[in-house]
Amino acid sequence: TKLAKEQEKLVRDWIQQAAKSFQPIPAIPSGSVTSKTYATALGSTIYQLQQAAKENSVNLPPQYYFSFQVQSSKLTLSPAGLDPLAAQLGEVKTIAEILFAARVNNLDGIQRVRVSDDDAQGLQSDYIDTRPITNDLAIITPYVISFRCFTPELARVVSGFATSPNPFLIKSVVVQPASGAATPDQTSGAPMTMDPRYGDPRHRYGQPNPDQPQPGPQATGKGGLQTVLKEQLLHVTMEVEIVKLLPKS
């Protein structure tokens, strides 16, 4: 009996500790949502994110609305989708703030799932075709983010999601040189897929990366250091999932 109580305490302590990483992201706006309150909150949040991007020297696409372009142009929204839209606005804001804190060079786009009738009229580039997954414990909602940065900023993005008090899971990371990144309308060879836990195995075992130009002989400047490797800008496509625990029964 004593051993069982000790094990039960260990499990409860672990649950309490793990719960710190599953803090829900507040919806924007919170509470009861109407078209008017959502429109006001959306305009304010978009402005805040645009200002935060400027303060952190992050470039955005022109007139970017962080995947809420169709909602920003409507005076009245479908009532059935207001609560899911409020939840997504809070989640997109949190994702964008992690990217801004990492000081990526460019935020090219955030894509979300469609949750309202109004989303059917939105830009295709604002959405992904996958759907949230619900199991016995949680709802898992996917997002896809595209950005350009160098390797230190990429490391800070991964660290930002890993250390967030909100339940982010990095599902996949696709990295390729920004100069050779394919647009959605182009077809090209398969990009390099990097598992963030291990990195590129070619680098770990000392093998050259065929996708990256190799440094040639460098001239030695007077009194200066020799250039061994020149960092190049990367285009990153990252699939991130948010885990929202279901209420306890």
Side-chain angles (χ1 to χ4, degrees):
T1 302
K2 179 181 178 182
L3 181 60
K5 290 182 179 180
E6 291 175 352
Q7 291 179 340
E8 181 182 3
K9 184 178 183 303
L10 289 175
V11 172
R12 292 186 180 277
D13 290 343
W14 181 87
I15 293 175
Q16 185 176 2
Q17 184 67 26
K20 296 178 181 179
S21 299
F22 287 87
Q23 299 300 314
I25 298 175
I28 300 176
S30 58
S32 179
V33 185
T34 65
S35 285
K36 183 177 180 179
T37 59
Y38 182 80
T40 301
L42 177 61
S44 175
T45 301
I46 296 300
Y47 176 77
Q48 292 173 14
L49 291 176
Q50 291 172 343
Q51 292 302 115
K54 290 181 181 179
E55 293 171 1
N56 290 280
S57 301
V58 178
N59 295 317
L60 299 174
Q63 300 296 316
Y64 187 55
Y65 291 94
F66 296 87
S67 78
F68 296 96
Q69 187 273 340
V70 65
Q71 282 78 23
S72 67
S73 62
K74 285 181 170 289
L75 296 177
T76 303
L77 299 173
S78 173
L82 288 175
D83 287 335
L85 283 171
Q88 284 189 331
L89 183 57
E91 292 165 358
V92 167
K93 180 176 184 290
T94 303
I95 291 173
E97 288 173 342
I98 290 175
L99 298 175
F100 296 159
R103 293 182 177 270
V104 300
N105 294 64
N106 297 69
L107 171 57
D108 295 327
I110 299 177
Q111 296 174 290
R112 58 186 177 86
V113 300
R114 291 177 172 85
V115 295
S116 73
D117 295 337
D118 301 305
D119 286 330
Q121 307 169 27
L123 299 174
Q124 178 63 35
S125 58
D126 283 342
Y127 307 99
I128 52 178
D129 294 329
T130 55
R131 304 295 300 172
I133 299 174
T134 303
N135 56 33
D136 293 338
L137 298 176
I139 300 174
I140 302 173
T141 305
Y143 287 88
V144 174
I145 54 179
S146 301
F147 56 94
R148 281 170 280 172
C149 67
F150 294 95
T151 51
E153 291 78 25
L154 175 56
R156 289 199 291 267
V157 171
V158 174
S159 176
F161 284 119
T163 58
S164 172
N166 307 120
F168 288 106
L169 297 176
I170 298 178
K171 186 71 173 180
S172 66
V173 182
V174 178
V175 181
Q176 59 185 142
S179 58
T183 64
D185 297 330
Q186 294 174 333
T187 57
S188 60
M192 176 183 70
T193 301
M194 181 187 75
D195 188 325
R197 298 172 297 174
Y198 306 112
D200 187 344
R202 294 173 293 187
H203 298 169
R204 287 188 292 146
Y205 296 109
Q207 299 178 11
N209 182 352
D211 300 327
Q212 178 176 321
Q214 301 302 311
Q218 302 291 332
T220 304
K222 295 182 180 180
L225 296 176
Q226 182 179 9
T227 301
V228 178
L229 180 64
K230 184 178 180 180
E231 178 90 38
Q232 68 173 311
L233 189 66
L234 303 173
H235 180 271
V236 182
T237 302
M238 182 179 293
E239 183 180 354
V240 178
E241 294 180 337
I242 299 178
V243 181
K244 290 173 279 191
L245 297 179
L246 295 174
K248 296 181 180 179
S249 56

